[in-house]
Amino acid sequence: MSRSGFYEWRERPASATAQRRALLAALVAEIFAGSHETYGYRRVHAALARRGEHCSAELVR
C-alpha cells in the first residue's frame, strides 16, 4: 500500500453504515443504563422499536 493511499484511507469519513451503528450503540448503551443494566438484547431491541429505530435483534446483540 502506498503512503498516500494509506493517509487517504485514514482521513476518509465514516460510511453511512458505520455512522448508523455508532448511533445505535449509543442508544443501546443509554437504554441499558436506564434499565439499571437489567435489560437483555430482546428488551433493548423492543425499546428501540418503540422509539422508531428499526434494526434487527442480531444487530442489537
Side-chain angles (χ1 to χ4, degrees):
M1 172 178 266
S2 67
R3 286 184 187 189
S4 62
F6 169 75
Y7 287 111
E8 181 184 341
W9 168 80
R10 194 175 73 169
E11 300 299 322
R12 190 176 302 157
S15 67
T17 302
Q19 291 174 357
R20 171 120 171 96
R21 286 185 181 209
L23 170 69
L24 286 173
L27 290 173
V28 165
E30 177 186 327
I31 292 168
F32 186 66
S35 71
H36 303 289
E37 299 181 357
T38 59
Y39 278 11
Y41 77 94
R42 289 179 185 95
R43 283 186 177 174
V44 172
H45 178 254
L48 285 171
R50 282 193 301 272
R51 287 184 176 196
E53 293 292 334
H54 299 287
C55 61
S56 69
E58 291 301 315
L59 184 59
V60 174
R61 184 190 266 186

